């Protein structure tokens, strides 16, 4: 079964978060909060044709997004990461 985003959503691949560590490699408690960046660089997997900049997207291209707006949807045990085109700040090009 394959997934196709609709309603201006973009399916993305988000880098997994790592357990907090000190510079010496010592693991910190799970409730320790590390200040995280508000934005992230994510990889494009697929997108709806109605995305306002769909002509600029390519599979495996990279976007800068607002991390707080990434939606994680679990279907049949698989997590799909989605972002609405409105929360994309930019496209990384070479």
């Amino acid at each position: 079964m394959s997934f196709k985003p609709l309603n201006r959503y973009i399916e993305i691949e988000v880098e997994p978060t790592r357990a907090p560590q000190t510079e010496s490699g010592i693991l910190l408690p799970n409730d320790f909060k590390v200040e995280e960046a508000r934005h992230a660089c994510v990889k494009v997997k697929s997108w709806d044709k109605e995305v306002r900049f769909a002509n600029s997207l390519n599979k495996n291209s990279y976007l800068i997004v607002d991390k707080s707006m990434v939606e994680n949807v679990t279907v049949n045990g698989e997590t799909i990461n989605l972002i609405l085109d409105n929360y994309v700040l930019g496209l990384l090009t070479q």
Side-chain angles (χ1 to χ4, degrees):
M1 192 179 313
S2 64
F3 176 78
K4 175 70 176 149
L6 301 173
N7 295 318
R8 296 184 15 238
Y9 275 95
I10 303 166
E11 181 184 8
I12 56 175
E13 184 176 313
V14 179
E15 211 171 284
T17 54
R18 298 178 205 169
Q21 292 185 9
T22 63
E23 287 184 20
S24 63
I26 298 171
L27 289 175
L28 298 171
N30 288 338
D31 59 350
F32 180 79
K33 297 287 183 196
V34 176
E35 179 123 359
E36 290 188 33
R38 179 176 170 195
H39 303 98
C41 181
V42 298
K43 187 187 290 189
V44 175
K45 294 178 77 176
S46 63
W47 58 93
D48 177 38
K49 65 180 177 168
E50 297 298 322
V51 167
R52 290 177 276 188
F53 47 90
N55 292 339
S56 299
L57 293 177
N58 294 305
K59 188 171 182 175
N60 296 325
S61 59
Y62 289 90
L63 303 172
I64 303 297
V65 301
D66 181 336
K67 284 193 326 187
S68 67
M69 301 312 292
V70 173
E71 297 184 41
N72 305 307
V73 180
T74 303
V75 179
N76 295 330
E78 185 176 332
T79 300
I80 300 167
N81 299 301
L82 300 167
I83 188 97
L84 189 59
D85 67 356
N86 200 48
Y87 300 110
V88 175
L89 287 91
L91 173 66
L92 292 178
T93 60
Q94 292 193 14

